[in-house]
Amino acid sequence: MLSTTQSMHFVAVLPLQSGATIRDYSLSFETYGVLNKDKSNAVLICHALNASHHVAGVYEGQDKSEGWWDNMIGPGKALDTNKFFVIGVNNLGSCFGSTGPMHVNPDTGRVYGADFPVVAVEDWVDSQARLLDAMGIRTLAAVMGGSLGGMQALSWALQYPARVRHAVVIASAPNLTAENIAFNEVARRAIQTDPDFHDGHFYEHGTVPKRGLRIARMIGHITYLSDDVMNEKFGRQLIAAGQGTAQRDYFYSTLEAEFQIESYLRYQGDKFAEYFDANTYLLITRALDYFDPARRFGGDLSLALASATANFLLVSFTTDWRFAPRRSREMVKALLHNRREVSYAEINAPHGHDAFLLDDARYLAVVSAYFDGVAKTVLA
Amino acid sequence: MLSTTQSMHFVAVLPLQSGATIRDYSLSFETYGVLNKDKSNAVLICHALNASHHVAGVYEGQDKSEGWWDNMIGPGKALDTNKFFVIGVNNLGSCFGSTGPMHVNPDTGRVYGADFPVVAVEDWVDSQARLLDAMGIRTLAAVMGGSLGGMQALSWALQYPARVRHAVVIASAPNLTAENIAFNEVARRAIQTDPDFHDGHFYEHGTVPKRGLRIARMIGHITYLSDDVMNEKFGRQLIAAGQGTAQRDYFYSTLEAEFQIESYLRYQGDKFAEYFDANTYLLITRALDYFDPARRFGGDLSLALASATANFLLVSFTTDWRFAPRRSREMVKALLHNRREVSYAEINAPHGHDAFLLDDARYLAVVSAYFDGVAKTVLA
């Protein structure tokens, strides 16, 4: 399946949760499959921290450019683009095409940098709704996302209940725990205290706070994986191990990477710092921190979810300690309390939070079966 | 109980695990209680990352200067200084008095900085054995430590089996997991990539890599606490909350601390960066990474512990995810396999790894009962 990125410009002011506004912005998006005549087969995919509108397929002539959920979405796949019209959209504030901190602020003529408005999950949903308006899509057969994308799917069901038939919320949570916020905060401080950050206006200084981005990504990677899978994949293996069977001595260095887990993390950090925008990292982690639909309801999640009318599929993974199964069960409980139709699968998988992006037969079968049901009811 | 710090100088060369040596070094230490006539009542306390020889008591005129294990050690306490002669010693490479990277290398006349030799847990034990030699103490009634200190206690029982009657290993592990190493590595990279680090020779530049130290400490604090206790202590509480009952809006800032957990971590990071030495941080985390007594035995912990002759008490805490109970059970199993006498307590405590430093009646009762037994057999 070939992918083509499109872009849509929005002139009108978008009011944001913070009280600020944004105008003259663009959203990058891709679509897969064909929108049917009554426009009832659209499925919106919401992305997490380090992803984009490029959800499925490959770009022409670039065999290795699979979208980030290509194992899930495509012709004959769990979310079957022979049946559904799938939309991937890049969030406002991202660094993969949609308007973000590296673009020019129309109010000042200067690059936004740190002045890009703080965007909330609810703002992303509002901006996605406008995109659907422009495409003439009134109602989504489904909205689906994992992690931060799952928060957007949940928020869709709350902000636009009449426009969502099904919400698929994977490896997500109704808000972040203190520990989640803590990891985000350490990553942010690493970026913000990098001398190359220049209070977020590093573009003008011709610098990139790569040190901070590297640290942020290393922390992220630790929390995406489970202790189990780290032990299985890396354990205490030394870098030079595997060359013969002789047990080599330690290097006895505090500077050189000694264990394979160290060089893996350094590599991931280096790679990330080459392409990810530091201000985007701050914005997206803050959107995660702020999401908390129960907040306006005194912390009562059942009350908060009362406005949802969609049917739900929730999926969690046993070794995911970033968004643990108990967080999904909180949502399931609150939805059941509101007599919503809810399917829930807790997948026994060793891969931690990353599992939602990986091939796992049981997981894909659950999603596939759910969308078979969606097709039967929504497309009937 | 009043504490007095002493220091002992060692001229002779100490061979290190790395193959390097160190000479002309000093160890800071404190003692509590009275050494009995046959010198059979000595208990050595080994410290963890951020601690020192100041284990118990207070300094004259400084009421708030309690030692880091003052709730455990003193007259009438779990480790009763009316019965035992307790020794606290600061490790080589530390920044609290013993010779470390901030001192002058006698070989070059320059401050060690990054040239301070990499020290292993086994090296600390060797240096502590020399201190005991100088004090005329041949056999320890017990050696005790928590976390990295527990690794030293275990290593004592392996390196000097004839000199240890009892080993008390608390909240520890027979080696670090990949995830443990990963957290250490992120902290080290934060320090090493701070422009003020100057490849470890920052003393000569008149700088301190405080940015890196702050990040390192923030990461550390997250891993010392449990998710549960973080949620209970901080949850999603905002900084300005508690001033009236009105729910305030978010600040909508990526830079300002918004949640209480953020300001807590920033405060801890700032405080730590004011007093802790960056090179010491690197050395101590590396000693943690390297410790792995089973390594020379093809990973077989039972074989590795076969040389121990001491009796053991091990304690772990249910919510400690840094050194989880299963790591203590590995050691218990290996010791039982060698028909050693082992007591083991798994304390149901909400405080994560930090629990080993806190007042917990059941925990202190277990240690107290164990030392009652030690007193009966060793001091009889």
Side-chain angles (χ1 to χ4, degrees), chain A residues 185 248 258 266 290 295, chain B residues 185 248 258 266 290:
Chain A
E185 170 68 1
R248 78 156 172 80
E258 173 90 82
R266 289 188 188 190
Y290 281 143
R295 187 167 183 260
Chain B
E185 171 67 0
R248 78 155 172 81
E258 172 89 83
R266 288 188 189 189
Y290 282 143

Side-chain angles (χ1 to χ4, degrees), chain A residues 17-19 114 118 120 175-183 185-195 197 199 211 214-215 218-219 222-223 225-228 230-231 234-236 238 247-259 261-263 265-266 279 282-283 286 288-292 294-298 321 326, chain B residues 17-19 114 118 120 175-183 185-195 197 199 211 214-215 218-219 222-223 225-228 230-231 234-236 238 247-259 261-263 265-266 279 282-283 286 288-292 294-298 321 326:
Chain A
Q17 294 290 311
S18 65
V118 170
N175 62 26
L176 293 195
T177 63
E179 189 184 77
N180 291 147
I181 297 172
F183 279 120
E185 170 68 1
V186 182
R188 278 192 296 266
R189 293 312 287 166
I191 290 170
Q192 290 165 343
T193 62
D194 184 330
F197 181 64
D199 294 326
R211 299 179 202 88
R214 285 189 197 107
I215 297 297
M218 291 170 85
I219 294 169
I222 299 175
T223 66
L225 299 177
S226 70
D227 193 21
D228 286 354
M230 269 191 162
N231 280 331
F234 304 104
R236 295 181 52 83
L238 304 181
Q247 187 185 39
R248 78 156 172 80
D249 280 339
Y250 290 139
F251 294 137
Y252 290 104
S253 164
T254 58
L255 189 67
E256 297 303 317
E258 173 90 82
F259 297 91
I261 182 65
E262 294 178 293
S263 59
L265 289 177
R266 289 188 188 190
N279 283 313
L282 304 181
L283 288 169
R286 215 34 157 171
L288 273 161
D289 291 355
Y290 281 143
F291 184 66
D292 188 10
R295 187 167 183 260
R296 288 191 300 127
F297 298 90
W321 58 282
R326 69 179 168 79
Chain B
Q17 294 290 311
S18 65
V118 169
N175 62 25
L176 292 196
T177 64
E179 189 184 78
N180 291 147
I181 297 172
F183 279 119
E185 171 67 0
V186 182
R188 279 192 296 264
R189 294 311 287 167
I191 290 170
Q192 290 165 343
T193 63
D194 184 330
F197 181 64
D199 294 326
R211 299 178 201 88
R214 286 188 196 108
I215 297 297
M218 290 170 86
I219 293 169
I222 298 175
T223 66
L225 298 177
S226 70
D227 193 21
D228 286 354
M230 269 193 163
N231 280 331
F234 304 103
R236 295 181 51 83
L238 304 180
Q247 187 185 38
R248 78 155 172 81
D249 281 337
Y250 291 139
F251 294 138
Y252 289 104
S253 164
T254 58
L255 188 68
E256 297 304 317
E258 172 89 83
F259 297 91
I261 181 66
E262 296 178 292
S263 60
L265 289 176
R266 288 188 189 189
N279 283 314
L282 304 181
L283 289 168
R286 216 33 158 174
L288 274 161
D289 292 355
Y290 282 143
F291 184 67
D292 187 11
R295 186 165 183 261
R296 289 191 300 125
F297 298 90
W321 58 281
R326 69 179 168 80

Side-chain angles (χ1 to χ4, degrees), chain B residues 60 123 133 135 161 169 315 341 363:
Chain B
E60 191 159 11
D123 300 325
D133 291 344
M135 296 167 89
V169 178
V315 181
E341 270 197 45
Y363 163 44

Side-chain angles (χ1 to χ4, degrees), chain A residues 350-373:
Chain A
H351 301 97
H353 189 60
D354 256 4
F356 90 88
L357 294 167
L358 302 179
D359 266 328
D360 180 297
R362 284 165 301 181
Y363 164 43
L364 294 177
V366 163
V367 176
S368 179
Y370 192 82
F371 274 105
D372 284 350

